[in-house]
Amino acid sequence: MPAGTVPLTDEGIVNAVCDAYTDIAGKGVQTAYAEAVAEAFGYTAEQLSSVPAESYMGLSCGNPVAVASIKEGETVLDLGSGAGVDVLLAAQKVGPKGQAIGMDMSTDMINRARKNAFKQGYRPPQVVFIQTKLTQPLPLETASVDCILSNCVINLLPGAGKAALLKECYRILKPGGRLVVDDIIAKKLLPDAIRSDLSAYIGCISGALQLEQYKTLMKLAGFIDALFVETSGDLEVYKSAGPTCGGAPSSSLSPKCCAATTSILPQTTIGNLNELAASYQIYARKVFSDNGVAEKSPPALARWWDAYPKDHLTSSEVASLLRDPDRSDYAIIDVRENDRVGGHILRSIQWRADTFAASLDKFYDEYGKTKQVIFYCGSSRGRGSRCAAWYQDYLNGKGNTQSKACVLEGGYHGWRYPDLVDGASSL
């Protein structure tokens, strides 16, 4: 992480934080260090052994899952999900009928988290990771989430971003829904030298609010009776647990409260972290509606598959493939059900969407070496795109770059090549 001063604009701050965590995601941290930090802030050995070691990177300041009272079948969101540890722990509790969603602004962190979920056998939509900026409106439906978690993240947002995110939390929670936040709170007004230090900001210190400021933001967001509990975590663990750089322990304040960093923050400037700030756990609920009638909640993610990258091919591009006698490195997959009888694209193979997720292993065995696997349905906005997302997530989890999921734009309804159709057709 480059040394310097905190950017003057909110966008600059967000970009600097994203760049730092992208670097962390790429480099990783030593398991022994990550374990030391995790255990210092309340994770048990049982919890850590139940998830991939790559999912916890020493980026926490608490253990929100332990106190969130997560129940089977619930929808849980983790804000700033990093490599996925809290999402994976939540997924164990919500079970196959629930949903655990992680959001992070770093694409590299999202990719790491998705691979960790794959290792655990989780597939979307039970476990979904979404790349998005937390300073923007969250891509979830209103009143759709049972529990929101956040672990040492809100302090990293600029002031306006903190306020906006807490208001979004209130919006997306169901009536009676819970918010459990572990965060760093400043014990006093920090000197300008620390407030302006980028390393200290990335290290979760200089962006920390004071207690009364945090309480005010919670109230403005709608959380009237938020409970703040100082957890007495030793912030110095971030230095004494020390990730290593070239074999030597680092004494610098590390990005996002602990990950390995190449910049040195002078101890004469930052001082003892426990004298400057403290770890807190914040617990709040969204008030129930006045009429007391429980309304049916919408799905949190109406189209989870839109969050998963995949290539799109036009009808003309697919038609060119079909007409090229020298091309055989592709497969065209029709995921429709009975509507396939109305006609289908030449050489397409039917693999129904309603059984696709359950048969991914078999599908991969057959097409994992095929360069382009092109999915379509009637419009390719629903079933086709969803199956492509499942397949691409599977490929990423396997580390397979030989094959690629693609979507036929416009689907069968947008196909305009009657000479490249099998069966009855209304083209």
Side-chain angles (χ1 to χ4, degrees), residues 110-118 129-131 307-309 393:
I110 289 293
N111 290 337
R112 178 181 277 260
R114 287 174 177 168
K115 289 180 180 178
N116 288 326
F118 183 86
F129 289 97
I130 301 171
Q131 189 276 326
Y308 286 71
D393 182 61

Side-chain angles (χ1 to χ4, degrees), residues 10-312:
D10 286 1
E11 182 179 3
I13 292 173
V14 170
N15 290 339
V17 171
C18 185
D19 289 345
Y21 298 149
T22 295
D23 186 59
I24 293 167
K27 293 180 178 178
V29 295
Q30 292 186 351
T31 300
Y33 170 68
E35 287 178 349
V37 174
E39 291 171 3
F41 289 104
Y43 289 93
T44 66
E46 182 181 6
Q47 283 181 311
L48 296 181
S49 65
S50 72
V51 296
E54 297 83 0
S55 69
Y56 50 93
M57 302 183 70
L59 306 181
S60 60
C61 61
N63 181 2
V65 174
V67 298
S69 301
I70 297 171
K71 301 175 183 66
E72 187 175 359
E74 288 191 323
T75 298
V76 178
L77 168 67
D78 181 25
L79 296 170
S81 49
V85 58
D86 290 329
V87 172
L88 298 182
L89 291 174
Q92 296 172 10
K93 294 180 176 292
V94 301
K97 294 183 179 180
Q99 186 176 45
I101 304 166
M103 291 186 181
D104 203 281
M105 58 186 168
S106 168
T107 300
D108 286 9
M109 277 293 187
I110 289 293
N111 290 337
R112 178 181 277 260
R114 287 174 177 168
K115 289 180 180 178
N116 288 326
F118 183 86
K119 290 176 184 178
Q120 293 295 96
Y122 291 123
R123 304 287 183 270
Q126 182 187 1
V127 173
V128 179
F129 289 97
I130 301 171
Q131 189 276 326
T132 187
K133 289 184 177 180
L134 301 184
T135 51
Q136 298 176 348
L138 300 177
L140 297 182
E141 297 295 322
T142 298
S144 63
V145 176
D146 295 288
C147 182
I148 299 175
L149 312 171
S150 185
N151 197 344
C152 211
V153 170
I154 295 178
N155 67 77
L156 291 166
L157 302 178
K162 291 179 174 73
L165 180 62
L166 290 173
K167 289 179 180 178
E168 278 293 278
C169 288
Y170 196 84
R171 176 185 69 82
I172 65 175
L173 277 176
K174 299 176 183 178
R178 294 103 59 205
L179 172 67
V180 182
V181 175
D182 280 282
D183 214 350
I184 302 295
I185 292 181
K187 290 183 175 181
K188 55 188 175 183
L189 182 63
L190 299 176
D192 290 342
I194 294 178
R195 285 287 181 193
S196 63
D197 190 292
L198 183 56
S199 293
Y201 194 98
I202 300 300
C204 300
I205 299 299
S206 64
L209 296 170
Q210 292 178 264
L211 183 58
E212 290 305 315
Q213 292 175 313
Y214 217 132
K215 288 181 177 180
T216 297
L217 286 188
M218 292 290 287
K219 289 180 180 178
L220 290 174
F223 297 105
I224 306 302
D225 298 316
L227 176 66
F228 287 72
V229 178
E230 186 173 351
T231 58
S232 301
D234 182 10
L235 304 188
E236 287 288 293
V237 71
Y238 301 137
K239 294 188 287 185
S240 61
T244 60
C245 262
S250 168
S251 60
S252 66
L253 176 68
S254 11
K256 204 179 178 195
C257 307
C258 37
T261 176
T262 56
S263 85
I264 300 298
L265 186 64
Q267 297 303 301
T268 53
T269 298
I270 196 66
N272 187 306
L273 303 187
N274 293 317
E275 294 178 359
L276 298 171
S279 58
Y280 272 77
Q281 192 157 81
I282 306 160
Y283 189 89
R285 282 184 178 272
K286 181 175 181 176
V287 296
F288 286 91
S289 58
D290 293 336
N291 59 23
V293 177
E295 298 180 359
K296 185 177 180 180
S297 299
L301 284 169
R303 294 173 54 86
W304 61 264
W305 51 92
D306 288 341
Y308 286 71
K310 43 206 169 289
D311 286 351
H312 287 75

Side-chain angles (χ1 to χ4, degrees), residues 313-320 345 408-411 414-417 420:
L313 297 179
T314 64
S315 291
S316 62
E317 289 173 320
V318 175
S320 295
I345 296 170
L408 171 62
E409 290 184 356
W415 189 253
R416 292 295 178 264
Y417 299 92
L420 299 176

